Amino acid sequence: MSSLFGRPVTIGAISVSPSFGLTQVTFTDVVVANPEGWPADPPFARIARVAVEIDVGETRRTRALILPRVTIETPVIAAQARAEGDNNYTFALPAAAGEPPSGETPPAAPVRVGALRVQGGQAHVLVNQLRADVRITFETRENEQGVPVLAAEAEGTYAEQPLSAQLNGGALLALGEATVPWPIEVTLENGPTHGRLAGTVLDVVNLAGADLTLELAGPNMALLTPLTGVPIPRTPRYRVQGKLSYAESRFRFTEIAGRVGNSDLGGAITVDPRGTRPDVTAELQSRRVDLADLTGFIGGRPGRGTPTREGQQGSRVLPDQPVSIPKLEAANVHLTYRARQVVGGSAPVDNLRADLTLIDGVITLRPVAFGIGRGEVAGNLILTPVENEALRLQGDIEFRRVDIARLMRFVGSEGGGTLTGRARIEATGRSTAEMLGRGNGSLVLATGGGNLSAFLVDLSGLRLGNAVFSALGLPSRTRIECFVGDFALQRGVLRPRLFLLETDDALLSAEGSIRLDRERLDLRVRSQAKRLTVAALPTDLLVTGTLRDPSVQPEIVELGIRGGIAAALGFTAAPLAILPTIELGIGDDTRCNDTLQRARGRTRR
């Protein structure tokens, strides 16, 4: 017996009693020891009594050991995995016998068991790595055909969450047969997470031939991380189901269908558990998605009505929630995601596509693209974990003919034309606010033609552009002749190297700075009327205060100080090398090119 299990097995007593052509052999106080290096008490398993019925006549006739019934009474199992990485439930089983020589008939099966019953089974499972402490009761119960089938219940904790589960399976003897589907139904509650697994498995020992349906529901998919071993960011309430199978050493969750918050979700996930960390390949899609449901993927609080900052009400605007994508090194992930339609008012986005890889803790998005009207904003981003739970961000973003009308509808206004440009950022931090407050990079935006119902910038309910236009006395409906902007971000300070906005009525430029670390404004907006429909004198607007609570105050200056429109627009301070760069985003629009040519001509004088 000891050689069969690869560790010491002791039997307290053996008794034999014949009855009606059957012989019953009873083993009492059977103990299966722990492996070497483990304490002797408690042992891995202790069984109070094992009763084996032997059909002596059939055994002689068939030359196989015929056991009509085997009953195991009060088995007690203590299974444990220690923090050191070893466990007491892995057995060093002997190698299987080889194939018989060619031409010889294989021997008859050495043992044939008619029915296997278990009474009053108990197990205590401790797995330190999973923070699991579970007590299980199990036994066999006869089904409608009189076949003893397995039933088990579990109570305890898993991932430091309360756990309760129930299992109804098939006959224990069928576990080793690869030709008969083994039925299984498991219901589980792990904290607020609910799960159900139902179906059949053809070969339970090798987890092959599965025809299983898995259903999962709960308030947050991140709670599935310890259950699945796959890192999942926070999500709103969800309910999903799909087909679960195992083949070629990989688990597959296919035909996924469900909802996450206000979004639908479908696709397939494959998990290869081999190697130092699981390898996950996911191809997911949504017909309709609410971007508010995805904010957990960038460290925010998913769902509508949730604040982006720790203090819901405060003087700051930029999100300060830690970008804590969980367990970056728990798995390698290859994800493609497509959303055909974006709904809700969280952003002026029409569709979404993202290709993400997570290798050795480094996240690469190449690309992540948001469709806006007939254009899109597409970026290539790399996030690398660094010290103090921070991330280093490297990113390049392109604005490809972004539909201004779509942007303006988002902020409750109207407009037309397209916006092009690009941005670059390098930053390190634990939140969006911290990264922007320390970052370096640049932003170039341009548009030629179009129109706006005032020039709006919506920051946490603030419409700063409206305040500027109102202070200048410009009309609410304004046609844009040209807009170009080149901004530099240095150590969290954003400065316009060139800012030009030409409308039907005025020419505007800006200088100064925005300190993103403190969210402080220190800008001067300069204007000069093109006609007498607005104030004839040049006007400066001083924009100070904070992003949440700005102050816009006019300041009248003398015309002679400016030296004409070109000086008022700040062209003399703009590096000429910037102008050809910006023109790349303008294309062949003659109006904006004419404005820049005039500016270039004046700077050469």
Side-chain angles (χ1 to χ4, degrees), residues 59 119 132 197-198 352 405 487 498 502 594:
T59 297
Q119 300 173 357
L197 180 68
L352 167 64
F487 303 85
L498 175 66
E502 181 178 5
D594 288 346

Side-chain angles (χ1 to χ4, degrees), residues 328-353:
L328 289 172
E329 298 183 357
N332 290 335
V333 179
H334 315 269
L335 167 68
T336 62
Y337 178 71
R338 302 290 185 267
R340 286 187 289 178
Q341 182 182 10
V342 177
V343 298
S346 57
V349 176
D350 298 305
N351 54 68
L352 167 64
R353 57 188 175 95

Side-chain angles (χ1 to χ4, degrees), residues 181-475:
W182 199 76
I184 183 172
E185 180 180 8
V186 179
T187 58
L188 174 144
E189 294 182 8
N190 184 211
T193 301
H194 299 262
R196 180 176 181 270
L197 180 68
T200 60
V201 180
L202 193 61
D203 184 355
V204 178
V205 175
N206 296 305
L207 297 175
D211 183 12
L212 298 168
T213 297
L214 175 62
E215 301 174 6
L216 294 168
N220 181 4
M221 277 190 170
L223 298 175
L224 294 175
T225 296
L227 284 171
T228 62
V230 177
I232 304 175
R234 292 185 296 180
T235 71
R237 184 167 293 277
Y238 69 93
R239 179 178 292 275
V240 296
Q241 70 175 35
K243 295 291 186 180
L244 184 66
S245 63
Y246 179 83
E248 300 174 344
S249 302
R250 293 173 175 84
F251 292 93
R252 290 178 172 85
F253 189 33
T254 59
E255 301 179 33
I256 297 173
R259 296 197 65 81
V260 180
N262 296 318
S263 308
D264 65 86
L265 182 67
I269 300 173
T270 300
V271 180
D272 184 348
R274 299 171 296 177
T276 56
R277 56 173 64 96
D279 191 88
V280 182
T281 301
E283 297 179 358
L284 303 176
Q285 64 271 343
S286 298
R287 294 185 301 272
R288 292 163 59 88
V289 66
D290 188 336
L291 285 184
D293 298 330
L294 304 180
T295 55
F297 286 79
I298 57 171
R301 296 181 182 179
R304 299 211 155 272
T306 56
T308 58
R309 297 190 59 85
E310 288 287 357
Q312 295 190 25
Q313 302 296 329
S315 60
R316 308 295 289 270
V317 171
L318 298 176
D320 66 350
Q321 281 289 295
V323 184
S324 55
I325 301 174
K327 298 185 178 180
L328 289 172
E329 298 183 357
N332 290 335
V333 179
H334 315 269
L335 167 68
T336 62
Y337 178 71
R338 302 290 185 267
R340 286 187 289 178
Q341 182 182 10
V342 177
V343 298
S346 57
V349 176
D350 298 305
N351 54 68
L352 167 64
R353 57 188 175 95
D355 293 340
L356 178 148
T357 60
L358 168 57
I359 304 295
D360 297 333
V362 178
I363 299 174
T364 302
L365 280 159
R366 194 181 301 273
V368 55
F370 302 90
I372 302 176
R374 291 167 292 180
E376 68 174 4
V377 178
N380 296 321
L381 308 175
I382 299 175
L383 290 165
T384 305
V386 293
E387 297 178 351
N388 300 321
E389 298 182 352
L391 291 173
R392 182 172 69 249
L393 168 64
Q394 297 171 284
D396 293 288
I397 301 170
E398 289 189 30
F399 301 83
R400 301 169 179 168
R401 300 187 64 79
V402 175
D403 192 336
I404 292 177
R406 183 73 177 88
L407 293 174
M408 300 312 296
R409 284 198 300 271
F410 170 65
V411 295
S413 189
E414 299 177 1
T418 60
L419 188 68
T420 60
R422 56 192 170 275
R424 178 186 58 82
I425 186 169
E426 294 183 2
T428 300
R430 291 167 295 182
S431 68
T432 301
E434 199 168 278
M435 288 183 186
L436 291 176
R438 300 175 176 178
N440 297 302
S442 61
L443 170 65
V444 176
L445 294 172
T447 184
N451 59 81
L452 300 177
S453 289
F455 186 69
L456 300 182
V457 178
D458 194 329
L459 293 173
S460 188
L462 163 70
R463 293 185 174 181
L464 179 60
N466 270 346
V468 171
F469 268 46
S470 176
L472 291 172
L474 294 172

Side-chain angles (χ1 to χ4, degrees), residues 76-99:
V76 178
I77 299 172
Q80 183 176 0
R82 299 189 293 198
E84 293 84 349
D86 59 343
N87 66 72
N88 70 338
Y89 47 80
T90 298
F91 289 84
L93 301 177
E99 295 291 331

